[in-house]
Amino acid sequence: MSRTKIAAANWKMNLQMDEGYQLFNDILKGLDKNESENLCLVFPPFVHLSSFTQLLKGGTRIRLGAQNLHWEKSGAYTGEISAEMIRSTGSEYVLIGHSERRKYFNENGEILASKTNAAINEGLNPVFCCGESLNERKENRQFEIVDKQIKEGLFHLPDASFEKIIIAYEPVWAIGTGENATALQSQEMHQHIRGLIEKYISSNVANKLPILYGGSVNPGNASEIFSQPDVDGGLIGGASLNANDFIEIYNSL
Ligand code: PGA
């Protein structure tokens, strides 16, 4: 089964308007002549979204997404951004459940389920993040933790919604630490996640579902990680802030 390969850039809370514009243009230029069918997703801070979508020409494999959303459509939620607003910038994707949101903004399973609903209802593609902490891995509870996160965040959705879902496995101990999961560790978890989806949803959905690995992916380790049969690409933080590094990672898909 051939699935879409994806390199996704998570810029987090980095880059001013001019810096972001420069980096996005460098990525556009770097991928301009690239004829691969692989998808490139860029998740900049909200402020960049509408100017970036205007730079996209038809035919490009680059798509934009937001790093977060609120679950309500509109109203008195000072500081928040809705799925509809994200959509109105021309963006098509949204990150949900990143471990930094879970940790610093107390986003639990219930909140994340509401967010996946809001995204799906507005036609956005959620990139749903999951992953265990270092302690949970030391206690060999990584599968149990990831199962719980996926069940809580996604299993209330009708089967047809899974067409739009991408899962990103991001072990917390590998995010921003320079210590990536080995290719075998990522393959083991991705295979497990695909098995979970097969068991509870369907083998058709499981076979089609892109599962990305995230956590200290760089140009030196990307090819090996992406060569695993159940790893369909990566969600890249630090290394996505450098155009050459990110393009090299994209080219390793
Ligand atoms: P990293 O971040 O590549 O800097 O480890 C990945 C992420 O948090 O998505």
Side-chain angles (χ1 to χ4, degrees):
M1 167 97 222
S2 80
R3 287 179 291 271
T4 312
K5 299 258 182 194
I6 302 168
N10 176 11
W11 290 5
K12 309 193 180 185
M13 195 173 73
N14 292 297
L15 306 180
Q16 317 297 325
M17 292 307 279
D18 53 343
E19 297 167 329
Y21 191 81
Q22 179 72 48
L23 177 56
F24 190 66
N25 266 299
D26 290 345
I27 295 170
L28 281 177
K29 257 185 253 145
L31 299 189
D32 196 31
K33 303 250 151 32
N34 193 308
E35 293 189 345
S36 93
E37 285 295 295
N38 300 329
L39 199 55
C40 169
L41 305 180
V42 180
F43 294 90
F46 283 123
V47 294
H48 296 292
L49 282 178
S50 61
S51 59
F52 289 2
T53 53
Q54 282 164 33
L55 294 173
L56 292 181
K57 294 173 274 178
T60 171
R61 299 295 292 155
I62 303 177
R63 299 282 183 277
L64 283 152
Q67 295 174 16
N68 183 29
L69 82 167
H70 194 270
W71 58 88
E72 292 291 348
K73 278 180 183 295
S74 62
Y77 300 99
T78 302
E80 294 294 325
I81 309 269
S82 70
E84 203 172 14
M85 291 170 186
I86 294 167
R87 189 84 195 142
S88 73
T89 66
S91 304
E92 297 166 63
Y93 291 79
V94 61
L95 293 180
I96 297 180
H98 192 283
S99 61
E100 288 150 17
R101 301 279 333 159
R102 293 176 190 265
K103 179 175 173 193
Y104 301 122
F105 302 95
N106 302 318
E107 294 192 359
N108 57 25
E110 197 185 336
I111 290 175
L112 298 175
S114 308
K115 290 190 172 201
T116 52
N117 267 343
I120 292 286
N121 289 341
E122 195 51 45
L124 293 173
N125 300 276
V127 177
F128 185 81
C129 307
C130 56
E132 80 286 357
S133 68
L134 185 57
N135 271 345
E136 288 159 349
R137 182 161 278 264
K138 280 187 182 154
E139 292 163 4
N140 203 26
R141 294 174 57 217
Q142 63 271 25
F143 299 113
E144 173 201 329
I145 296 295
V146 165
D147 286 6
K148 182 169 183 287
Q149 292 172 340
I150 292 177
K151 284 181 182 171
E152 287 178 349
L154 297 178
F155 276 18
H156 61 290
L157 296 169
D159 290 6
S161 303
F162 279 81
E163 294 263 320
K164 296 192 92 60
I165 305 279
I166 295 169
I167 289 181
Y169 167 58
E170 299 204 300
V172 179
W173 48 271
I175 295 179
T177 58
E179 190 195 336
N180 60 282
T182 64
L184 285 180
Q185 282 171 323
S186 53
Q187 169 56 23
E188 182 185 43
M189 181 59 85
H190 286 220
Q191 192 174 16
H192 173 82
I193 293 172
R194 211 176 291 292
L196 181 81
I197 302 293
E198 179 168 6
K199 182 169 171 200
Y200 289 96
I201 311 294
S202 74
S203 57
N204 185 34
V205 167
N207 284 334
K208 286 197 207 146
L209 180 81
I211 307 179
L212 313 183
Y213 166 77
S216 298
V217 175
N218 61 45
N221 60 26
S223 302
E224 200 194 345
I225 296 173
F226 297 166
S227 69
Q228 301 301 308
D230 286 293
V231 178
D232 303 309
L235 178 56
I236 296 103
S240 74
L241 297 174
N242 176 298
N244 290 336
D245 286 355
F246 182 62
I247 289 162
E248 205 174 325
I249 293 170
Y250 176 85
N251 288 333
S252 311
L253 285 169

